[in-house]
Amino acid sequence: MSLTNQEQELEQLKAAVAAKEAEIAQNRHAQLAHLPAQYGFKNAKEFCKAVLSVSVKKRGSLRDPQFKDSVISALKGGMKGSEAARQFGLSVATIQNLKKAAGLVTARGS
């Protein structure tokens, strides 16, 4: 097979891939449009609100002393900072600041 024929075949395959991508996008759009009704919602806004209410991880507030104490207790109990950040919905930097404030971090070289 000559190089020109290979290039033509490649272009045909690219066109076929583009057509398939367009078909998939159209089907996805149609299926997504029907999701709210399938789950008993009146519209997409209500459906999205319901999905977000169960999928967005609520994080506690450090202004709440009980929440802050529970984070510090977990850290004192040996929980790693990255694990605590995931569990409590806080950043690793915030966890590090809490560790410093609770006296759980020693300076380098000490």
Side-chain angles (χ1 to χ4, degrees), residues 25-95:
Q26 186 176 8
N27 289 339
R28 181 184 303 124
H29 180 75
Q31 288 178 1
L32 288 174
H34 291 95
L35 270 180
Q38 286 176 345
Y39 290 93
F41 292 93
K42 295 177 186 175
N43 56 45
K45 185 176 182 180
E46 288 180 10
F47 178 70
C48 289
K49 185 177 179 183
V51 170
L52 288 173
S53 73
V54 296
S55 65
V56 174
K57 190 174 186 180
K58 305 256 191 248
R59 76 177 198 112
S61 172
L62 291 177
R63 293 183 183 142
D64 177 6
Q66 289 177 327
F67 177 75
K68 191 173 182 178
D69 289 343
S70 65
V71 175
I72 292 171
S73 293
L75 293 168
K76 284 181 178 178
M79 184 180 283
K80 294 186 179 211
S82 58
E83 185 182 346
R86 266 192 310 280
Q87 181 174 332
F88 293 104
L90 301 170
S91 70
V92 175
T94 299
I95 296 294

